[in-house]
Amino acid sequence: MADYKEILGSLVNKAKDAGRALVLNCADADVAKAALDVCKELKPILNGANKDNADAMNAVATAAGVVLGVGGADISEIYDTVKALEGKGNKNLIIDCTGKTAKETFANA
């Protein structure tokens, strides 16, 4: 795992050095925490919360003080996850309405 964290840190540092806003697409809370350890001062968006990992991802995003992106299988699932996170006091959220197809994404948006 140490090799993986080194590789991840290196990749995040390369992205950080580009001077652009960062969006970390990650659904694993442990990996997200490792990535944020490298770049949280830049306040990236942590995108990857869903119904299965919402609590863990919320804890990581809240601890780092970053915006949390929330997605799901459909609009209803996303709504329920956002509602649950807002119920826990996190209103620092964005909605990832990306669907399985361009048509579905357009409809969701």
Side-chain angles (χ1 to χ4, degrees):
M1 187 70 159
D3 291 332
Y4 179 74
K5 286 187 179 181
E6 286 177 25
I7 292 168
L8 176 66
S10 174
L11 290 173
V12 173
N13 273 321
K14 284 181 184 180
K16 183 170 97 171
D17 291 343
R20 307 274 191 212
L22 297 178
V23 177
L24 302 174
N25 283 311
C26 177
D28 183 302
D30 292 331
V31 173
K33 183 179 180 321
L36 285 168
D37 285 344
V38 176
C39 66
K40 68 182 167 192
E41 73 279 356
L42 297 176
K43 299 298 182 194
I45 295 170
L46 175 57
N47 187 42
N50 58 50
K51 70 177 180 65
D52 298 322
N53 68 2
D55 290 336
M57 292 294 283
N58 187 48
V60 171
T62 302
V66 300
V67 174
L68 180 60
V70 182
D74 56 38
I75 291 295
S76 295
E77 186 175 293
I78 295 169
Y79 174 84
D80 292 342
T81 305
V82 167
K83 186 175 178 181
L85 290 168
E86 285 182 337
K88 293 177 185 218
N90 190 349
K91 298 197 186 275
N92 199 15
L93 306 169
I94 61 168
I95 298 171
D96 180 354
C97 61
T98 305
K100 292 180 180 115
T101 65
K103 182 177 180 180
E104 186 179 324
T105 300
F106 183 73
N108 289 347

